[in-house]
């Protein structure tokens, strides 16, 4: 049981590090951070950012190695729909229902550094 918890804790820490890296990368691109790890009944969004008048909901995917495929390949249609519903809920909750928004994906394969980021804006 201890080994299993250690692996789970490491994956959680890697996920948090990937999100922090993605957030820093997007800030360099001119995005303004608004919220991290927004949870609702319909789903969860890793990062909520804003660029000009557009709200950007970001799903961050990280794969340390390719044994289970590339990070970008892990975004299924089901996961995208959950992100979309969560984004719509967040906008409604903040009385921003008519606002422009998009869903971006930051995929990181291998090392947790900017050289391994693949940014897919408005997927």
């Amino acid at each position: 049981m201890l080994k299993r918890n250690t692996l789970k804790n490491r994956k959680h820490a890697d996920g948090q590090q990937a999100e922090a890296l993605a957030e820093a990368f997007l800030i360099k691109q001119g995005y303004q951070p608004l919220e991290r790890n927004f949870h609702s009944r319909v789903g969860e969004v890793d990062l909520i950012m804003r660029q000009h008048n557009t709200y950007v909901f970001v799903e961050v995917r990280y794969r340390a190695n390719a044994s289970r495929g590339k990070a970008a390949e892990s975004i299924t249609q089901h996961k995208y729909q959950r992100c979309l519903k969560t984004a719509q809920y967040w906008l409604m909750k903040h009385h921003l229902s008519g606002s422009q928004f998009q869903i971006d994906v930051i995929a990181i394969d291998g090392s947790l550094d900017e050289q391994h980021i693949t940014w897919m804006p408005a997927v």
Side-chain angles (χ1 to χ4, degrees):
M1 184 70 164
L2 181 61
K3 188 175 185 178
R4 186 177 195 177
N5 283 338
T6 303
L7 180 61
K8 184 178 178 181
N9 289 341
R10 187 181 58 78
K11 284 185 177 185
H12 180 72
D14 287 349
Q16 287 182 324
Q17 190 176 352
E19 289 171 6
L21 177 64
E23 184 177 55
F25 173 81
L26 290 171
I27 289 169
K28 286 181 183 178
Q29 309 308 312
Y31 285 52
Q32 175 189 4
L34 299 176
E35 195 165 340
R36 195 190 268 189
N37 297 110
F38 174 74
H39 294 270
S40 74
R41 287 181 33 200
V42 294
E44 185 252 346
V45 172
D46 296 319
L47 302 171
I48 302 172
M49 312 284 283
R50 188 171 73 205
Q51 184 186 44
H52 307 295
N53 294 326
T54 302
Y55 292 91
V56 183
F57 298 85
V58 184
E59 178 63 21
V60 179
R61 305 302 276 194
Y62 170 63
R63 292 285 187 264
N65 61 58
S67 66
R68 293 185 4 222
K70 292 194 166 277
E73 295 168 351
S74 69
I75 300 292
T76 63
Q77 185 64 27
H78 177 72
K79 179 62 180 170
Y80 176 81
Q81 289 299 318
R82 288 181 64 105
C83 287
L84 178 62
K85 288 178 184 177
T86 304
Q88 291 168 332
Y89 175 75
W90 186 89
L91 290 166
M92 182 189 71
K93 181 180 174 193
H94 290 87
H95 308 287
L96 299 165
S97 292
S99 299
Q100 281 187 276
F101 75 96
Q102 67 187 46
I103 297 172
D104 287 9
V105 173
I106 296 277
I108 306 168
D109 289 290
S111 299
L112 284 165
D113 56 47
E114 279 193 23
Q115 291 76 22
H116 291 90
I117 288 177
T118 301
W119 178 25
M120 296 172 277
V123 292

